Amino acid sequence: MTAVEEPSTAVRTVTATIDGRAVTVPEGTSIYDAAKQAGVDIPVLCHNERYDPVGVCRMCVVDTGGRVFAAACVRPCDDGMEVKTNTPELERNRATLTELLLSDQPERAEDPKQTTTGDNLLLELADRFDVARETTELPCGSGRGHDGSNPVIDVNHDACILCDRCVRACDDIQGNDVIGRSGKGYSTKIAFDFDDPMGSSSCVTCGECVQACPTGALTNKPINLIPIQPREQLDAVDSVCPYCGVGCALTYYVDRERGAIAFAEGRDQPGSKSRLCVKGRYGWDYAASPQRITVPLIRKDSSYPKGPLSADVRGDAFNDRGRTGGGGGRSGGKKGRDGRRKPGGLVDYDEVMPHFREATWDEALDLVAQRLMAIHAEGGPGAIAGFGSAKCSNEEAYLFQKLIRTGFHTNNVDHCTRLCHASSVAALFEGVGSGAVSTTYGDVANADVVIITGSNPTANHPVASSFFKQARRRGTKIVYVDPRASTVAEHADYYCQVKPGTDVAFYNAIMHEVIRLGLIDREFIAERVSNYDELARTVADYPPERAAQITGVDADLIRAVAREWGEAGAGVIYWGMGISQHTTGTDNARCLIALCSITGNVGRPGTGLHPLRGQNNVQGASDAGLIPMFYPDYQGVDREGTRERFEQAWGTQLDPKRGLTVTEIIGSVLKPGGVRGMYMLGENPFLSDPNINKVRKALGALDFLVVQDIFLTETAEFADVILPASSYLEKEGSYTNTDRRVQLGRKVLDPPGQARVDWRIVQDIARRIGLDWAYSSPSEVFDEMVSLMPSYRNLRHDNLGLSGKLYPNDDPEHSDGTVVMFDERFNTDDGLAHLVPAQWLPARELPDAEYPLVLNTGRLLEHWHTGSMTRRSFALDAISPIPEVYMHPKDAADRGLAHGELARVRSRRGTIELQVRISHREQLGNCFIPFHFREAAANLLTIDEIDPFGKIPEFKFCAVQAEALGAAHTEPVEKAGVAE
């Protein structure tokens, strides 16, 4: 295993003299950078080391002895050059330039930046050169206007100095290409798209432009009336973003007087490099929601027999005839004039809270322990199950799985990896002996070609996608393979719009061509791969012409992609849930492993396999053992030697059988002798699991359910006890991102009311069921966890630092860790990559005359999972407030549907109503529905068929129909009850 190192090549140098100081630098180094190395400060406005230099503002001009002054940011040093940076003439020029720029600025007392963060760089220069807006005799121009259309970013064109830093931040860093210039002469201003208002442009509100702007032209708006103040007046807390698996480093600026976050900024870290997306920069206020659960709750005796409590969760909102979906809850709910539920997106507390009473922590915890132990005593270990959370820390995941395994002697413990990358992990563990990525998202910079498949990283992993876009600008070829033509397709050299569910046929055809053309790495295959001959025989049956018939991708395009991949010196495959969330998800991932292996694209810089992990700690939670078939570090529960080691470490006997997965647990509840008691930590299966009707019935059938969460979720309506937990912002702990980077999340705020940090709640329950736990801190838990996880060896809280560390890491005190894995051997028993051929199989449920469309589900940029966090965030909910079904224009027209109209979408399992969005990104015959919106819950429609290896549900393919609300239709039989 190796870290990526820069190639050692001889570099020519030049020596220049800057203000009398000799400095030797590589040829091509700018005067500005050379001066910085020599300790000489040159003032700048338009320049920032993160962006390409342009020399627009001329503030950095220096005297090189030439006819005119030279812009230091763009002028390279010459050998023997003599540079003067602060002569009286230069300083007069800078003072004059500052006065000219300042004349058009708002007055200091009204400046949008100076009155908030207090760091207007132009005003700093004005103070340096002793000029002021109030005393200048220059005329003040104004009237370029103000744009307040974005909910969290304010645009003041009169404060803009046209330095283009925002343009370069948008282009060079984020690769979004939204900002440019419009107008002529004095009327020139920055513009969004075709001079649209920022809020209605294609801007994705990442805030990189705000971070770049040196004046008050682009500033953050206060969120929830928390004023933005200078950094030195706020408490800076360095932490990590709580959303996706990219794990961006950020700093929260906290107003301690108000007990709230004022704003957030990206900070430097080897992975994210100071970048953030809209969720990381603006999506943190959910933790301050007045809907936080702040006291333990116990279901009232009068609210039994147990069932859903709100109209939405009963099912009233999921059909247009007012029928309920079963359960013993009460009727009611806010309805519109037409009798249907009003959209809203949050559990109606007025409907649900009357069914619970407040309790003390001791009363609630005692009841939890007593009921779960009673069920365990009567029904045995198989009667208990636990769902953990990928939003919780490594330490909390470790303790939760340890509680279920040692306290209840069952391996029935799982989390949302079962719903995202379980099939990827199954294939990777089988093929290369590790469930983690083999290289980082930043290693794309070293690749000649990358395949991005089954993923929409601009929405799901936006900061990672910025590195992909940067690499493409530097010459890396991008192959994008997906049924939806997301914005990634616009940056791709080859876009292959495969039909849903045909990935195996597509990649078998690519391998067919690579082998036919002789572009395989024969040495790598001979020394490091097994079962190649069987793979070659299988893919021989998939010539491009046959694959074209199956996938819809032109045979010549398949050939071109195969040649591009086969001839590349280095290639990486990045994939998402469009690969994994299929009944053939494991086969899909097997094909990707084989494609990399037969071309030797593993184990070198710019090569490898990278399933882009979804939630912020889904990698860490899986590493920590929060899955039913593995102890921490993917050590099999059914391996006798492994089990004995953990029995010795944990001091108790352990179950030798693999446990049930998330979907299997839901099915078990509905069977005699199955699961009867559940502990749910931060999971919301009512919305996240497939076939909501079945989930509703299962949750209602449980004898006892304890839900530990920060909000009242749909799942919590079925709870007997609800425990108020801590948000990510209210505790310490470690989190492992998609790159294998283990980072510390630091406490930003105190938990509200009586809410407690999750690891302490788990420990309190453990003690009450007889476990002798006495952890005093998350770092103590981490140390125990690491002692049982070879991959995390040498890591401690105190050596993770501000940037975290990649694992494995032999020397975390001095090294960032391993970037590229498998340079010499794979983690399999024999050290070889095990190739597993796959045959293409059609989806389990195919379209027909009644249900002619294929439904694909997924995420939006602004929202996360079941929306419990993001729909309580002002910015995120303001940008994307309503559920929509994305449809091809012809599919919509054929059904008499227009953009913005309400439509009914139905499957064999249920019906939802939502707005139509005409989208040219959809294939004909396909539609897309985000699954964040409870009022139009996509998973009411999806099937619960699962992959036989990864046990992951089929979220990416089911048959549906879309129609105008007035259209007549026949209800499926399952609609009136529950689809088993």
Side-chain angles (χ1 to χ4, degrees), residues 351-375:
E351 284 187 283
V352 177
M353 290 299 284
H355 299 280
F356 291 88
R357 64 175 178 85
E358 294 186 356
T360 66
W361 270 103
D362 283 339
E363 181 185 12
L365 293 171
D366 287 345
L367 179 59
V368 170
Q370 292 165 9
R371 291 295 306 276
L372 290 179
M373 288 301 289
I375 292 171

PDB file of all heavy atoms in Angstrom, residues 351-375:
ATOM      1  N   GLU A 351     -50.686  16.351  15.841  1.00  0.00           N
ATOM      2  CA  GLU A 351     -51.380  15.070  15.726  1.00  0.00           C
ATOM      3  C   GLU A 351     -50.747  13.991  16.593  1.00  0.00           C
ATOM      4  O   GLU A 351     -51.440  13.132  17.130  1.00  0.00           O
ATOM      5  CB  GLU A 351     -51.365  14.588  14.268  1.00  0.00           C
ATOM      6  CG  GLU A 351     -52.322  15.278  13.338  1.00  0.00           C
ATOM      7  CD  GLU A 351     -52.341  14.606  11.983  1.00  0.00           C
ATOM      8  OE1 GLU A 351     -51.403  14.828  11.197  1.00  0.00           O
ATOM      9  OE2 GLU A 351     -53.293  13.846  11.723  1.00  0.00           O
ATOM     10  N   VAL A 352     -49.417  14.042  16.708  1.00  0.00           N
ATOM     11  CA  VAL A 352     -48.694  12.922  17.302  1.00  0.00           C
ATOM     12  C   VAL A 352     -48.419  13.102  18.795  1.00  0.00           C
ATOM     13  O   VAL A 352     -48.590  12.170  19.586  1.00  0.00           O
ATOM     14  CB  VAL A 352     -47.363  12.694  16.547  1.00  0.00           C
ATOM     15  CG1 VAL A 352     -46.554  11.570  17.189  1.00  0.00           C
ATOM     16  CG2 VAL A 352     -47.648  12.374  15.079  1.00  0.00           C
ATOM     17  N   MET A 353     -47.995  14.292  19.195  1.00  0.00           N
ATOM     18  CA  MET A 353     -47.554  14.480  20.577  1.00  0.00           C
ATOM     19  C   MET A 353     -48.619  14.173  21.643  1.00  0.00           C
ATOM     20  O   MET A 353     -48.282  13.713  22.728  1.00  0.00           O
ATOM     21  CB  MET A 353     -47.024  15.899  20.766  1.00  0.00           C
ATOM     22  CG  MET A 353     -45.701  16.159  20.042  1.00  0.00           C
ATOM     23  SD  MET A 353     -44.363  15.078  20.619  1.00  0.00           S
ATOM     24  CE  MET A 353     -43.992  15.857  22.183  1.00  0.00           C
ATOM     25  N   PRO A 354     -49.903  14.408  21.372  1.00  0.00           N
ATOM     26  CA  PRO A 354     -50.898  14.056  22.398  1.00  0.00           C
ATOM     27  C   PRO A 354     -50.919  12.574  22.766  1.00  0.00           C
ATOM     28  O   PRO A 354     -51.501  12.210  23.810  1.00  0.00           O
ATOM     29  CB  PRO A 354     -52.223  14.480  21.747  1.00  0.00           C
ATOM     30  CG  PRO A 354     -51.853  15.572  20.814  1.00  0.00           C
ATOM     31  CD  PRO A 354     -50.519  15.161  20.258  1.00  0.00           C
ATOM     32  N   HIS A 355     -50.300  11.727  21.981  1.00  0.00           N
ATOM     33  CA  HIS A 355     -50.298  10.297  22.264  1.00  0.00           C
ATOM     34  C   HIS A 355     -49.109   9.872  23.116  1.00  0.00           C
ATOM     35  O   HIS A 355     -48.942   8.685  23.409  1.00  0.00           O
ATOM     36  CB  HIS A 355     -50.302   9.513  20.952  1.00  0.00           C
ATOM     37  CG  HIS A 355     -51.520   9.789  20.111  1.00  0.00           C
ATOM     38  ND1 HIS A 355     -52.726   9.193  20.352  1.00  0.00           N
ATOM     39  CD2 HIS A 355     -51.714  10.636  19.060  1.00  0.00           C
ATOM     40  CE1 HIS A 355     -53.617   9.632  19.471  1.00  0.00           C
ATOM     41  NE2 HIS A 355     -53.023  10.519  18.681  1.00  0.00           N
ATOM     42  N   PHE A 356     -48.283  10.823  23.506  1.00  0.00           N
ATOM     43  CA  PHE A 356     -47.125  10.531  24.352  1.00  0.00           C
ATOM     44  C   PHE A 356     -47.157  11.433  25.588  1.00  0.00           C
ATOM     45  O   PHE A 356     -47.704  12.533  25.564  1.00  0.00           O
ATOM     46  CB  PHE A 356     -45.817  10.774  23.581  1.00  0.00           C
ATOM     47  CG  PHE A 356     -45.571   9.788  22.480  1.00  0.00           C
ATOM     48  CD1 PHE A 356     -46.064  10.013  21.199  1.00  0.00           C
ATOM     49  CD2 PHE A 356     -44.850   8.624  22.728  1.00  0.00           C
ATOM     50  CE1 PHE A 356     -45.852   9.097  20.182  1.00  0.00           C
ATOM     51  CE2 PHE A 356     -44.623   7.704  21.710  1.00  0.00           C
ATOM     52  CZ  PHE A 356     -45.126   7.942  20.433  1.00  0.00           C
ATOM     53  N   ARG A 357     -46.536  10.948  26.641  1.00  0.00           N
ATOM     54  CA  ARG A 357     -46.383  11.752  27.851  1.00  0.00           C
ATOM     55  C   ARG A 357     -44.902  11.905  28.162  1.00  0.00           C
ATOM     56  O   ARG A 357     -44.082  11.060  27.790  1.00  0.00           O
ATOM     57  CB  ARG A 357     -47.085  11.082  29.038  1.00  0.00           C
ATOM     58  CG  ARG A 357     -46.504   9.733  29.446  1.00  0.00           C
ATOM     59  CD  ARG A 357     -47.172   9.189  30.684  1.00  0.00           C
ATOM     60  NE  ARG A 357     -46.653   7.861  31.046  1.00  0.00           N
ATOM     61  CZ  ARG A 357     -45.554   7.660  31.774  1.00  0.00           C
ATOM     62  NH1 ARG A 357     -44.844   8.697  32.205  1.00  0.00           N
ATOM     63  NH2 ARG A 357     -45.155   6.431  32.062  1.00  0.00           N
ATOM     64  N   GLU A 358     -44.562  12.993  28.792  1.00  0.00           N
ATOM     65  CA  GLU A 358     -43.180  13.214  29.179  1.00  0.00           C
ATOM     66  C   GLU A 358     -42.808  12.279  30.333  1.00  0.00           C
ATOM     67  O   GLU A 358     -43.647  11.935  31.171  1.00  0.00           O
ATOM     68  CB  GLU A 358     -42.961  14.673  29.578  1.00  0.00           C
ATOM     69  CG  GLU A 358     -43.127  15.642  28.421  1.00  0.00           C
ATOM     70  CD  GLU A 358     -42.762  17.059  28.798  1.00  0.00           C
ATOM     71  OE1 GLU A 358     -42.456  17.309  29.991  1.00  0.00           O
ATOM     72  OE2 GLU A 358     -42.759  17.930  27.904  1.00  0.00           O
ATOM     73  N   ALA A 359     -41.542  11.897  30.356  1.00  0.00           N
ATOM     74  CA  ALA A 359     -41.057  10.986  31.395  1.00  0.00           C
ATOM     75  C   ALA A 359     -39.666  11.417  31.823  1.00  0.00           C
ATOM     76  O   ALA A 359     -38.983  12.190  31.136  1.00  0.00           O
ATOM     77  CB  ALA A 359     -41.019   9.550  30.865  1.00  0.00           C
ATOM     78  N   THR A 360     -39.230  10.925  32.961  1.00  0.00           N
ATOM     79  CA  THR A 360     -37.855  11.155  33.374  1.00  0.00           C
ATOM     80  C   THR A 360     -36.951  10.204  32.600  1.00  0.00           C
ATOM     81  O   THR A 360     -37.398   9.183  32.059  1.00  0.00           O
ATOM     82  CB  THR A 360     -37.676  10.907  34.875  1.00  0.00           C
ATOM     83  OG1 THR A 360     -37.896   9.508  35.142  1.00  0.00           O
ATOM     84  CG2 THR A 360     -38.650  11.745  35.695  1.00  0.00           C
ATOM     85  N   TRP A 361     -35.676  10.530  32.572  1.00  0.00           N
ATOM     86  CA  TRP A 361     -34.727   9.637  31.907  1.00  0.00           C
ATOM     87  C   TRP A 361     -34.714   8.271  32.582  1.00  0.00           C
ATOM     88  O   TRP A 361     -34.696   7.242  31.889  1.00  0.00           O
ATOM     89  CB  TRP A 361     -33.324  10.247  31.913  1.00  0.00           C
ATOM     90  CG  TRP A 361     -33.054  11.089  30.705  1.00  0.00           C
ATOM     91  CD1 TRP A 361     -33.039  12.447  30.612  1.00  0.00           C
ATOM     92  CD2 TRP A 361     -32.777  10.597  29.381  1.00  0.00           C
ATOM     93  NE1 TRP A 361     -32.781  12.847  29.333  1.00  0.00           N
ATOM     94  CE2 TRP A 361     -32.594  11.742  28.545  1.00  0.00           C
ATOM     95  CE3 TRP A 361     -32.658   9.343  28.807  1.00  0.00           C
ATOM     96  CZ2 TRP A 361     -32.305  11.638  27.188  1.00  0.00           C
ATOM     97  CZ3 TRP A 361     -32.373   9.244  27.447  1.00  0.00           C
ATOM     98  CH2 TRP A 361     -32.201  10.367  26.649  1.00  0.00           C
ATOM     99  N   ASP A 362     -34.721   8.234  33.901  1.00  0.00           N
ATOM    100  CA  ASP A 362     -34.674   6.937  34.591  1.00  0.00           C
ATOM    101  C   ASP A 362     -35.895   6.094  34.246  1.00  0.00           C
ATOM    102  O   ASP A 362     -35.784   4.884  33.999  1.00  0.00           O
ATOM    103  CB  ASP A 362     -34.589   7.146  36.107  1.00  0.00           C
ATOM    104  CG  ASP A 362     -33.201   7.549  36.561  1.00  0.00           C
ATOM    105  OD1 ASP A 362     -32.237   7.292  35.817  1.00  0.00           O
ATOM    106  OD2 ASP A 362     -33.078   8.126  37.655  1.00  0.00           O
ATOM    107  N   GLU A 363     -37.074   6.714  34.232  1.00  0.00           N
ATOM    108  CA  GLU A 363     -38.291   5.965  33.919  1.00  0.00           C
ATOM    109  C   GLU A 363     -38.227   5.417  32.491  1.00  0.00           C
ATOM    110  O   GLU A 363     -38.543   4.237  32.256  1.00  0.00           O
ATOM    111  CB  GLU A 363     -39.511   6.864  34.077  1.00  0.00           C
ATOM    112  CG  GLU A 363     -40.837   6.153  33.794  1.00  0.00           C
ATOM    113  CD  GLU A 363     -42.028   7.080  33.825  1.00  0.00           C
ATOM    114  OE1 GLU A 363     -41.829   8.313  33.837  1.00  0.00           O
ATOM    115  OE2 GLU A 363     -43.171   6.570  33.803  1.00  0.00           O
ATOM    116  N   ALA A 364     -37.811   6.243  31.562  1.00  0.00           N
ATOM    117  CA  ALA A 364     -37.768   5.819  30.162  1.00  0.00           C
ATOM    118  C   ALA A 364     -36.729   4.729  29.940  1.00  0.00           C
ATOM    119  O   ALA A 364     -36.996   3.713  29.279  1.00  0.00           O
ATOM    120  CB  ALA A 364     -37.471   7.025  29.271  1.00  0.00           C
ATOM    121  N   LEU A 365     -35.530   4.912  30.482  1.00  0.00           N
ATOM    122  CA  LEU A 365     -34.467   3.924  30.293  1.00  0.00           C
ATOM    123  C   LEU A 365     -34.799   2.612  30.988  1.00  0.00           C
ATOM    124  O   LEU A 365     -34.504   1.528  30.465  1.00  0.00           O
ATOM    125  CB  LEU A 365     -33.138   4.486  30.796  1.00  0.00           C
ATOM    126  CG  LEU A 365     -32.572   5.659  29.986  1.00  0.00           C
ATOM    127  CD1 LEU A 365     -31.374   6.268  30.701  1.00  0.00           C
ATOM    128  CD2 LEU A 365     -32.164   5.205  28.589  1.00  0.00           C
ATOM    129  N   ASP A 366     -35.389   2.700  32.169  1.00  0.00           N
ATOM    130  CA  ASP A 366     -35.781   1.466  32.866  1.00  0.00           C
ATOM    131  C   ASP A 366     -36.809   0.692  32.048  1.00  0.00           C
ATOM    132  O   ASP A 366     -36.733  -0.543  31.933  1.00  0.00           O
ATOM    133  CB  ASP A 366     -36.375   1.803  34.243  1.00  0.00           C
ATOM    134  CG  ASP A 366     -35.326   2.243  35.251  1.00  0.00           C
ATOM    135  OD1 ASP A 366     -34.116   2.014  34.989  1.00  0.00           O
ATOM    136  OD2 ASP A 366     -35.701   2.832  36.282  1.00  0.00           O
ATOM    137  N   LEU A 367     -37.766   1.411  31.466  1.00  0.00           N
ATOM    138  CA  LEU A 367     -38.793   0.747  30.666  1.00  0.00           C
ATOM    139  C   LEU A 367     -38.175   0.100  29.432  1.00  0.00           C
ATOM    140  O   LEU A 367     -38.517  -1.049  29.082  1.00  0.00           O
ATOM    141  CB  LEU A 367     -39.865   1.757  30.261  1.00  0.00           C
ATOM    142  CG  LEU A 367     -41.013   1.211  29.400  1.00  0.00           C
ATOM    143  CD1 LEU A 367     -41.746   0.081  30.124  1.00  0.00           C
ATOM    144  CD2 LEU A 367     -41.988   2.333  29.034  1.00  0.00           C
ATOM    145  N   VAL A 368     -37.262   0.782  28.772  1.00  0.00           N
ATOM    146  CA  VAL A 368     -36.587   0.229  27.605  1.00  0.00           C
ATOM    147  C   VAL A 368     -35.879  -1.066  27.968  1.00  0.00           C
ATOM    148  O   VAL A 368     -36.031  -2.108  27.298  1.00  0.00           O
ATOM    149  CB  VAL A 368     -35.590   1.241  27.012  1.00  0.00           C
ATOM    150  CG1 VAL A 368     -34.706   0.566  25.958  1.00  0.00           C
ATOM    151  CG2 VAL A 368     -36.319   2.425  26.402  1.00  0.00           C
ATOM    152  N   ALA A 369     -35.094  -1.040  29.034  1.00  0.00           N
ATOM    153  CA  ALA A 369     -34.335  -2.225  29.437  1.00  0.00           C
ATOM    154  C   ALA A 369     -35.265  -3.364  29.821  1.00  0.00           C
ATOM    155  O   ALA A 369     -35.057  -4.518  29.419  1.00  0.00           O
ATOM    156  CB  ALA A 369     -33.412  -1.870  30.598  1.00  0.00           C
ATOM    157  N   GLN A 370     -36.304  -3.062  30.592  1.00  0.00           N
ATOM    158  CA  GLN A 370     -37.217  -4.113  31.048  1.00  0.00           C
ATOM    159  C   GLN A 370     -37.946  -4.775  29.885  1.00  0.00           C
ATOM    160  O   GLN A 370     -38.029  -6.012  29.805  1.00  0.00           O
ATOM    161  CB  GLN A 370     -38.225  -3.521  32.034  1.00  0.00           C
ATOM    162  CG  GLN A 370     -37.629  -3.090  33.361  1.00  0.00           C
ATOM    163  CD  GLN A 370     -38.554  -2.186  34.147  1.00  0.00           C
ATOM    164  OE1 GLN A 370     -39.728  -1.992  33.786  1.00  0.00           O
ATOM    165  NE2 GLN A 370     -38.040  -1.609  35.226  1.00  0.00           N
ATOM    166  N   ARG A 371     -38.467  -3.968  28.972  1.00  0.00           N
ATOM    167  CA  ARG A 371     -39.245  -4.535  27.878  1.00  0.00           C
ATOM    168  C   ARG A 371     -38.370  -5.335  26.913  1.00  0.00           C
ATOM    169  O   ARG A 371     -38.747  -6.429  26.465  1.00  0.00           O
ATOM    170  CB  ARG A 371     -39.979  -3.424  27.127  1.00  0.00           C
ATOM    171  CG  ARG A 371     -41.097  -2.775  27.927  1.00  0.00           C
ATOM    172  CD  ARG A 371     -42.250  -3.744  28.239  1.00  0.00           C
ATOM    173  NE  ARG A 371     -42.780  -4.377  27.053  1.00  0.00           N
ATOM    174  CZ  ARG A 371     -43.689  -3.849  26.240  1.00  0.00           C
ATOM    175  NH1 ARG A 371     -44.169  -2.629  26.501  1.00  0.00           N
ATOM    176  NH2 ARG A 371     -44.136  -4.497  25.187  1.00  0.00           N
ATOM    177  N   LEU A 372     -37.203  -4.806  26.551  1.00  0.00           N
ATOM    178  CA  LEU A 372     -36.335  -5.536  25.635  1.00  0.00           C
ATOM    179  C   LEU A 372     -35.825  -6.827  26.265  1.00  0.00           C
ATOM    180  O   LEU A 372     -35.758  -7.870  25.594  1.00  0.00           O
ATOM    181  CB  LEU A 372     -35.168  -4.654  25.200  1.00  0.00           C
ATOM    182  CG  LEU A 372     -35.518  -3.476  24.274  1.00  0.00           C
ATOM    183  CD1 LEU A 372     -34.264  -2.671  23.943  1.00  0.00           C
ATOM    184  CD2 LEU A 372     -36.190  -3.947  22.978  1.00  0.00           C
ATOM    185  N   MET A 373     -35.480  -6.787  27.531  1.00  0.00           N
ATOM    186  CA  MET A 373     -35.007  -8.005  28.200  1.00  0.00           C
ATOM    187  C   MET A 373     -36.122  -9.035  28.335  1.00  0.00           C
ATOM    188  O   MET A 373     -35.881 -10.238  28.210  1.00  0.00           O
ATOM    189  CB  MET A 373     -34.432  -7.661  29.567  1.00  0.00           C
ATOM    190  CG  MET A 373     -33.085  -6.937  29.518  1.00  0.00           C
ATOM    191  SD  MET A 373     -31.802  -7.879  28.658  1.00  0.00           S
ATOM    192  CE  MET A 373     -31.514  -9.197  29.859  1.00  0.00           C
ATOM    193  N   ALA A 374     -37.345  -8.569  28.551  1.00  0.00           N
ATOM    194  CA  ALA A 374     -38.467  -9.500  28.652  1.00  0.00           C
ATOM    195  C   ALA A 374     -38.731 -10.189  27.315  1.00  0.00           C
ATOM    196  O   ALA A 374     -38.963 -11.406  27.252  1.00  0.00           O
ATOM    197  CB  ALA A 374     -39.718  -8.756  29.122  1.00  0.00           C
ATOM    198  N   ILE A 375     -38.662  -9.423  26.245  1.00  0.00           N
ATOM    199  CA  ILE A 375     -38.844 -10.007  24.912  1.00  0.00           C
ATOM    200  C   ILE A 375     -37.712 -10.979  24.612  1.00  0.00           C
ATOM    201  O   ILE A 375     -37.936 -12.072  24.058  1.00  0.00           O
ATOM    202  CB  ILE A 375     -38.906  -8.899  23.850  1.00  0.00           C
ATOM    203  CG1 ILE A 375     -40.192  -8.088  24.023  1.00  0.00           C
ATOM    204  CG2 ILE A 375     -38.826  -9.475  22.435  1.00  0.00           C
ATOM    205  CD1 ILE A 375     -40.259  -6.837  23.165  1.00  0.00           C
TER     206      ILE A 375
END
